[in-house]
Amino acid sequence: MSYKCAIFDLDGVLVDTAKYHYLAWKELAGKLGFEFTIEHNEMLKGVSRMTSLDILLEVGNMKDAFSEEEKVKMATEKNNQYVEYISNIDESEILEGALSLLQELKQKGIKIALGSASKNAQIILKNVGLESYFDVIVDGNSVSKAKPDPEVFTLGAKTLGVPYEECVVFEDSQAGLEAAKIVGMLAVGVGQKKDLTNADVVYSTLKDFNIEKYF
Ligand code: BG6
Ligand code: MG
């Protein structure tokens, strides 16, 4: 099968920002008086900001302890901390194999889309210098439904005029892989096999991805 379009998740696939999300959530949990581990954090990958907060509060047995208003305040506090972390990042945060894969796809004339849940995607792409590789950028500001809903991927494919089954999605989250599979896109997991059971195929980094096999 020769695929026509590559759709990339951002955090944890192209850039090493998942760790900053984790740090910011961990700090919030600390303030609330409970520990939030790296294992708990797996559940937040790919998930929207407010859903992440709900999952975190459930971990701390505080599911119903706060009003909507208080929750918005907490999510804003987490985001402010996160934005502080990412405001000075540069190309050193680009993950292994990401830049060369984007370059090779471009050379081959493959369409490239971003499919990220993050509302901070634009600033991250700009800071690390990857903006120009994308034919379309779909992020948390452009969609109404979060992963595992496939909207963030289908919007990109539709904009580029590529049928879903000719798209490859690169993801580090179970929610994102599930979203890709729902609409028949090839779901490539980037990370550890044990965490990414929804994937069609898993590579530990983008460096290991065999471009000739798929494009
Ligand atoms: C995803 C991350 O890319 O974006 C999630 O994997 C995060 O952890 C989500 O919650 C939303 O990001 P942001 O930057 O809008 O809070
Ligand atoms: Mg991710």
Side-chain angles (χ1 to χ4, degrees), residues 11 21 44-49 52 82 116-120:
D11 297 316
H21 277 295
L44 306 194
K45 287 190 176 169
V47 175
S48 75
R49 197 179 301 165
S52 294
Y82 177 69
S116 167
S118 176
K119 294 188 165 144
N120 297 299

Side-chain angles (χ1 to χ4, degrees), residues 23-55:
L23 283 176
W25 283 126
K26 196 176 152 68
E27 275 181 47
L28 177 68
K31 280 184 202 157
L32 293 170
F34 63 92
E35 204 195 336
F36 191 70
T37 67
I38 197 102
E39 284 79 28
H40 292 138
N41 190 58
E42 276 305 309
M43 295 185 281
L44 306 194
K45 287 190 176 169
V47 175
S48 75
R49 197 179 301 165
M50 290 311 288
T51 308
S52 294
L53 176 63
D54 283 336
I55 297 171

